[in-house]
Amino acid sequence: TYRSGAAEAESLKQHIEAQGGKIAMLALDITDTASYEAFSSAVTETLKTDFGRERFDFLVNNAGNGLFANFVDATEDQFSSLVATHLRGPIFLTQKLLPLVEDGGRILNVSSGFVRFTLPGYSLYAAVKAAVEVLTRFMAVELGSRQIRVNAIAPGAIATDFGGGAVRDNKDVNAYVAQGIALGRVGLPDDIGAAVAAILSDDLAWANGTTFDISGGQLL
């Protein structure tokens, strides 16, 4: 899915298709719960017409927005924005899509290393992500009767455009963060992608209700 980056989504689609993959891109604003009904219908139609299926196997709740705000200065609007994206969205989107998830399927939520370690300015973000980890455990219990596994990942610092791209684009920031990671470097997108694929695979079929730290050993 994509929210506003239609051009980037199309570019990625072409890249995957050029390598022999099959993909469909659907627009979704995770903060707009009123749109979930139409989105669910679009998923249903896409599964039928593009993939010849009625259900899908994996749901990854990875929409996110960054926010830096010291606790004493944080506003209700900032808090509401984080809750809408990182907590309310995954709860009610997953609820809406559950009829389309195969029995024995997998759901993966995205937490953050900030639940484990601290850095001034990320208290609200970390608090909401901590709620995601608790939600993951309860989802695992309640969906167990359908053999649906629910886990979460907690990435550390990753070199992407998240948060303005500082970790990726600012050499000083990158070096500062890297010195606090046991493996001596900042994470890359492929580090997370490979972890996601592994957790969703049958190789980790007995992992359930777990949050995996994917940080290279950041601030241990």
Side-chain angles (χ1 to χ4, degrees):
T1 63
Y2 64 93
R3 188 184 65 168
S4 59
E8 291 88 345
E10 179 59 28
S11 176
L12 177 59
K13 181 175 185 290
Q14 292 178 8
H15 176 71
I16 291 173
E17 289 175 339
Q19 298 184 68
K22 192 170 185 178
I23 180 173
M25 287 286 189
L26 298 176
L28 172 66
D29 180 354
I30 195 72
T31 66
D32 182 13
T33 54
S35 71
Y36 290 178
E37 184 67 39
F39 177 74
S40 178
S41 297
V43 172
T44 300
E45 182 62 26
T46 300
L47 285 170
K48 179 181 178 180
T49 59
D50 291 10
F51 299 95
R53 297 186 58 176
E54 294 183 355
R55 293 181 172 186
F56 62 90
D57 301 294
F58 310 134
L59 173 62
V60 181
N61 288 309
N62 70 320
N65 62 324
L67 174 67
F68 179 90
N70 286 320
F71 174 77
V72 296
D73 301 317
T75 67
E76 289 190 35
D77 285 344
Q78 290 173 322
F79 178 71
S80 295
S81 172
L82 289 171
V83 170
T85 300
H86 297 277
L87 188 58
R88 187 180 69 194
I91 289 174
F92 293 105
L93 180 63
T94 300
Q95 188 183 76
K96 178 62 68 174
L97 294 178
L98 270 176
L100 300 179
V101 178
E102 292 278 11
D103 290 350
R106 292 89 192 261
I107 297 171
L108 186 64
N109 298 321
V110 178
S111 179
S112 169
F114 282 126
V115 175
R116 177 174 58 82
F117 52 78
T118 60
L119 189 67
Y122 292 97
S123 59
L124 297 189
Y125 179 81
V128 174
K129 287 300 193 182
V132 169
E133 294 190 11
V134 174
L135 172 68
T136 296
R137 297 199 302 272
F138 278 82
M139 289 173 65
V141 170
E142 294 189 17
L143 298 179
S145 61
R146 289 184 55 190
Q147 299 296 295
I148 294 175
R149 293 193 295 107
V150 188
N151 292 296
I153 59 169
I158 308 297
T160 68
D161 58 2
F162 190 76
V167 172
R168 180 193 61 198
D169 302 331
N170 187 309
K171 292 182 179 180
D172 292 335
V173 171
N174 188 289
Y176 174 78
V177 173
Q179 58 85 33
I181 298 176
L183 294 181
R185 67 170 176 84
V186 166
L188 300 173
D190 282 350
D191 294 321
I192 303 303
V196 168
I199 294 166
L200 294 176
S201 76
D202 289 339
D203 291 339
L204 285 175
W206 201 235
N208 195 25
T210 297
T211 296
F212 294 88
D213 185 289
I214 312 294
S215 69
Q218 185 171 355
L219 297 177
L220 293 175

